[in-house]
Amino acid sequence: MPHPYVLLSAAVSLDGFLDDTGPERLLLSGPADFDRVDEVRASSDAILVGAGTIRSDNPRLLVNSAERRAARVAAGRPAYPLKVTVSGSGDLDPDAQFWHTGGEKIVYTTDEGAVRATEVLRGPAVDVVATGAELDWRAVLEHLHDVRGVRRLMVEGGGRVHTQLMGQGLADELQLAVAPLFVGQAEAPRLFGPGGYPPGRMRLVETRAVGDVVLIRYVPTAPGTGALASAADRHWLGVACELAALCPPSRTAFSVGAVVVAADGTELARGHSREGGDPVAHAEEAALAKIAAGDPRLASATVYSSLEPCARRASRPAPCARLILDAGVRRVVTAWREPDTFVAGADGNGLLVAAGADVVVLPEFEERATAPNRHLLGAA
């Protein structure tokens, strides 16, 4: 199911701490970075913190700039983003500033926690949503997207929330402000705790000085596993859709883009339909041809294709679904099922699944994938 774009935002000391052990909140950022955070908040549909952060920091989570609030209203949005918290127990302080400032609020909790949260939050108008016996992050993100219309979610902590979202492959971006000081207290809270994180290196997209802190922005690159989509899967499928737009136009074949990515997030190859002037080249075929046969990384790689890999083709003996299987790949992420425009009853995904491959379809990318093919769909 579609999720919001999840942005993790945090400030840390040079030795990786979110705070010290003193009674007052350690201010790691300066005025320039606080203003940057306010700008990010104003650009977001919702801001999320864990219940532990509400207990320890008592945050308001407001857009402080009157100009930014006015711009939101002028754009038809509420002055303040939706405020979100998660609590497995539902044990929340009804007097916290979180509930009494800003706009709408929502709590995600367990079935048992919902009973407790409803009892303690009798005063503030808060939407309480249970995700089952356990707190389910995917259910939280799906509800925010589908029911509350959230497309961009800013997550401001704490460390446990950041750890869970990053460990489950649900964070699309990490914005990290590194402050020029040390904490040096082993018992102080850290940004990330122990966990099963995605493998490989993240991709650096920006560094810049903001006052005396350094802003670092990273995005994940390691594909998901099995049938569950990760934030990196969405990134790579977006790249495949961009490649589809590069295809030479055709009246007799679809425009498709494909990327092959190793389990650690290394891009192995990319390709697009009719690449290199070959009028019958398919995207997956073009990408796989650039990788040495027997490359051991293929067994755990993922192929991203803007269109379902073909199961039958007239131009060459082997369809793309078969080429993927023969290469040893057993995971495919795609945006769009092949229509009957050229081949009736095409079912490349079915061929892949029958051979033991995992196929993930992300329909939220269908519009982007079909865009360079609208002339063919209109004639179908």
Side-chain angles (χ1 to χ4, degrees):
M1 296 292 291
H3 293 168
Y5 185 90
V6 178
L7 185 158
L8 307 187
S9 175
V12 296
S13 63
L14 286 171
D15 49 348
F17 290 98
L18 291 167
D19 198 357
D20 60 17
T21 58
E24 301 296 326
R25 176 70 173 168
L26 175 65
L27 297 180
L28 293 164
S29 295
D33 191 57
F34 285 129
D35 186 66
R36 178 194 65 81
V37 170
D38 195 62
E39 183 178 20
V40 177
R41 286 179 180 175
S43 71
S44 302
D45 299 309
I47 304 170
L48 183 150
V49 294
T53 297
I54 294 177
R55 297 185 194 103
S56 62
D57 297 346
N58 196 20
R60 297 186 305 156
L61 299 179
L62 302 178
V63 175
N64 295 309
S65 164
E67 292 80 6
R68 290 176 182 137
R69 294 197 301 271
R72 286 177 59 91
V73 173
R77 307 168 74 190
Y80 296 100
L82 173 70
K83 294 204 292 189
V84 185
T85 190
V86 293
S87 171
S89 68
D91 187 10
L92 299 158
D93 179 4
D95 296 323
Q97 295 183 112
F98 180 92
W99 313 112
H100 303 283
T101 58
E104 294 185 78
K105 293 93 180 173
I106 185 169
V107 178
Y108 291 97
T109 183
T110 61
D111 293 339
E112 183 176 341
V115 176
R116 175 62 176 158
T118 302
E119 289 176 353
V120 299
L121 297 175
R122 288 177 180 173
V126 180
D127 188 10
V128 178
V129 178
T131 66
E134 303 291 337
L135 186 66
D136 184 336
W137 275 112
R138 290 181 183 271
V140 169
L141 296 179
E142 288 170 12
H143 188 274
L144 283 171
H145 182 279
D146 294 346
V147 178
R148 300 308 299 254
V150 174
R151 298 297 178 264
R152 183 176 176 86
L153 174 66
M154 182 183 186
V155 180
E156 295 200 40
R160 184 177 179 185
V161 168
H162 286 318
T163 296
Q164 291 174 349
L165 287 169
M166 186 62 73
Q168 293 182 37
L170 297 173
D172 293 275
E173 180 180 338
L174 172 62
Q175 290 192 4
L176 191 62
V178 181
L181 55 84
F182 293 92
V183 171
Q185 300 170 339
E187 58 279 6
R190 288 187 176 274
L191 172 58
F192 293 114
Y197 295 101
R201 302 170 73 88
M202 298 183 74
R203 181 167 60 90
L204 178 66
V205 294
E206 182 186 11
T207 59
R208 61 183 165 99
V210 183
D212 68 346
V213 307
V214 175
L215 172 67
I216 306 173
R217 292 176 55 218
Y218 286 104
V219 296
T221 60
T225 57
L228 290 178
S230 70
D233 287 331
R234 291 176 167 82
H235 163 73
W236 288 116
L237 189 56
V239 172
C241 292
E242 292 170 4
L243 290 169
L246 301 178
C247 299
S250 172
R251 283 280 174 188
T252 58
F254 290 116
S255 293
V256 183
V259 190
V260 185
V261 182
D264 66 355
T266 300
E267 180 182 327
L268 300 181
R270 60 175 63 189
H272 59 77
S273 304
R274 300 175 291 286
E275 184 175 323
D278 183 345
V280 296
H282 285 199
E284 303 93 329
E285 173 186 37
L288 289 169
K290 299 169 186 172
I291 307 171
D295 188 319
R297 295 173 295 180
L298 286 169
S300 56
T302 297
V303 169
Y304 297 89
S305 179
S306 61
L307 175 66
E308 172 186 21
C310 63
R312 297 191 302 279
R313 61 191 292 191
S315 58
R316 297 223 167 104
C320 290
R322 176 48 55 193
L323 292 174
I324 290 169
L325 293 170
D326 289 346
V329 177
R330 291 297 181 269
R331 188 170 187 268
V332 175
V333 178
T334 185
W336 179 36
R337 297 298 300 267
E338 183 177 353
D340 291 342
T341 308
F342 302 115
V343 178
D347 188 16
N349 288 353
L351 192 158
L352 291 164
V353 170
D358 291 305
V359 175
V360 181
V361 180
L362 300 180
E364 61 265 38
F365 285 85
E366 182 172 331
E367 183 175 350
R368 292 175 62 183
T370 57
N373 298 288
R374 288 197 183 110
H375 62 294
L376 298 173
L377 300 175

